[in-house]
Amino acid sequence: MTAPSSPDIAWPSAERQAQFQQWLAPLATQHGLQLPSLRPASADASFRRYFRVDADGHRSFVVMDAPPPQEDVRPFIDIAGRIQRAGLHAPQVLAADEARGFLLLTDLGNQLYLQALQDGGPQQIDQLMRQAIQALVHWQQQVDASGLPVYDEALLQREMALFPEWCVAKEFGVTWGETEHKHWAHVTRRLADSALAQPQVAVHRDWMPRNLMVCDPNPGILDFQDAVRGPLSYDVASMLRDAFISWEEEREIDWAARYWEQARKAGLPVPDDFGEFWRQVEWMGLQRHLKVLGIFCRLKHRDGKPKYAEDLPRFFAYATKVARRYRELGPLLPLIEPLSGMRGEIAYSLR
């Protein structure tokens, strides 16, 4: 039996399409897949893409297409297993072709946290965020971090280096001189030192509403294949200062305090002083914001995905706020403010 080809699914080559059909067809009988229902489900900033296929009994499954050599499904399989063993909710891997990059996964539905937060009222928003906080504390307690890549000095600096390469030079055509490079080295040194001084846990690296699903049990966790062992505050910063939705700072601090209280009760090594923890979150967030500014520009210029650059003002606003707040980070301001000025007025929706 051969899996039919959906007219909505484009393939980079006939060979890749044939490999996919050859792999999926035998799974139809085993899992009751209704192959004619195969259709696009979603894509992300990587080369991965996802299809949904219906099955007998009013069920559906998700198929991942992760073409090598650009993608490697083995980390996804590894982390999915760790999440399951920790008692959290993530897609289960039902079948895998590791060499060719195909996975059959359980389906967590199609209601993203992001959409629910954008559409929800204050009570629903707070409930969803509290559930995300509770799940994150559980993740940091229970997900085994042993053997994960380490979020070390080299990785932290490599990520931040995306900003001058892709955002400053490529997006804005700005060339830094000796003074700018000196300011940059000072700020990135301080941010790296802060991150490296924190206790290490399993870090999702994108614990944000676009990667959480509204489902039962809530939340479902997606896009975890890049997990590392790294700073305790990283996923908190990802959750509170998101790429696609922003919050009034009063809400950010309230949710951060709730996380901090739960983490202390759970025995996680957060600072005794909430003010110090909040500083860690803000500094860790700034490291991430600089990285994301570079990544979004790289997606535009290298990968032909310009839509991500529409959110650059959001990250310039995050970075500017933190750099203005802490004297040690002040040298960043003359590096980013001219660029954000080129973008025009920084404006984005706060909930």
Side-chain angles (χ1 to χ4, degrees):
M1 178 171 56
T2 300
S5 176
S6 168
D8 297 327
I9 299 174
W11 292 94
S13 69
E15 179 185 9
R16 182 68 179 170
Q17 180 179 5
Q19 291 174 348
F20 177 78
Q21 293 176 339
Q22 181 186 31
W23 171 76
L24 186 61
L27 297 174
T29 301
Q30 182 180 354
H31 295 281
L33 306 181
Q34 300 171 5
L35 296 182
S37 69
L38 187 72
R39 57 201 181 273
S42 66
D44 57 28
S46 72
F47 291 92
R48 293 183 301 273
R49 56 182 182 164
Y50 302 87
F51 311 127
R52 181 167 279 111
V53 60
D54 296 331
D56 300 339
H58 304 289
R59 300 176 299 159
S60 62
F61 296 92
V62 169
V63 182
M64 180 194 295
D65 169 29
Q70 295 93 341
E71 301 292 339
D72 181 357
V73 299
R74 290 172 298 179
F76 185 98
I77 296 170
D78 173 33
I79 305 302
R82 295 178 191 233
I83 294 172
Q84 278 190 315
R85 291 189 291 274
L88 291 166
H89 194 189
Q92 298 179 35
V93 179
L94 304 175
D97 185 332
E98 296 182 11
R100 293 188 290 189
F102 300 126
L103 299 180
L104 180 67
L105 309 170
T106 54
D107 190 356
L108 302 189
N110 53 20
Q111 188 177 14
L112 287 175
Y113 245 64
L114 178 61
Q115 193 63 51
L117 292 172
Q118 289 171 333
D119 296 341
Q123 186 173 354
Q124 181 188 10
I125 289 171
D126 192 58
Q127 180 182 9
L128 289 171
M129 290 297 286
R130 290 189 187 202
Q131 289 172 335
I133 289 167
Q134 184 177 9
L136 177 56
V137 171
H138 189 143
W139 165 289
Q140 292 178 330
Q141 274 187 294
Q142 299 296 331
V143 172
D144 180 14
S146 60
L148 292 178
V150 179
Y151 216 153
D152 58 10
E153 165 86 17
L155 180 54
L156 288 162
Q157 294 287 0
R158 191 162 62 245
E159 288 183 339
M160 288 186 284
L162 296 171
F163 175 73
E165 178 181 1
W166 289 97
C167 188
V168 177
K170 192 69 174 180
E171 174 71 8
F172 292 97
V174 171
T175 300
W176 282 349
E178 182 179 350
T179 299
E180 288 82 7
H181 282 292
K182 182 179 178 180
H183 288 337
W184 176 251
H186 169 83
V187 170
T188 54
R189 175 75 270 148
R190 298 305 299 268
L191 294 178
D193 286 346
S194 176
L196 294 169
Q198 294 180 39
Q200 307 286 291
V201 295
V203 175
H204 181 287
R205 288 182 82 187
D206 270 319
W207 190 276
M208 60 185 193
R210 200 176 182 184
N211 292 329
L212 299 175
M213 302 292 294
V214 179
C215 53
D216 186 22
N218 201 47
I221 304 167
L222 303 176
D223 205 22
F224 42 74
Q225 62 282 334
D226 294 325
V228 294
R229 180 166 58 85
L232 181 72
S233 71
Y234 190 95
D235 285 334
V236 181
S238 302
M239 177 176 60
L240 297 180
R241 293 189 174 160
D242 180 47
F244 305 103
I245 188 170
S246 301
W247 308 101
E248 296 286 355
E249 188 167 61
E250 182 180 356
R251 271 182 158 177
E252 293 177 348
I253 292 174
D254 178 69
W255 289 326
R258 291 183 186 280
Y259 163 84
W260 176 73
E261 290 170 350
Q262 290 185 35
R264 292 182 74 194
K265 289 179 181 177
L268 290 170
V270 294
D272 291 335
D273 177 57
F274 175 74
E276 171 58 17
F277 173 68
W278 182 242
R279 184 203 63 79
Q280 290 179 353
V281 170
E282 291 212 289
W283 286 38
M284 194 73 257
L286 180 56
Q287 188 275 346
R288 175 176 168 82
H289 304 152
L290 295 169
K291 173 185 74 170
V292 172
L293 283 164
I295 288 175
F296 280 10
C297 293
R298 186 176 67 183
L299 285 166
K300 174 182 176 180
H301 293 282
R302 188 191 72 179
D303 301 333
K305 298 180 178 181
K307 188 170 180 59
Y308 287 91
E310 295 175 6
D311 279 288
L312 294 183
R314 186 188 309 276
F315 284 92
F316 277 123
Y318 288 151
T320 300
K321 178 167 66 174
V322 175
R324 286 176 176 170
R325 180 168 290 166
Y326 300 93
R327 183 182 60 185
E328 303 96 321
L329 306 179
L332 183 63
L333 290 171
L335 304 183
I336 61 176
E337 287 183 335
L339 307 184
S340 60
M342 292 182 192
R343 261 303 155 183
E345 182 181 356
I346 295 178
Y348 55 93
S349 174
L350 287 172
R351 291 297 305 270

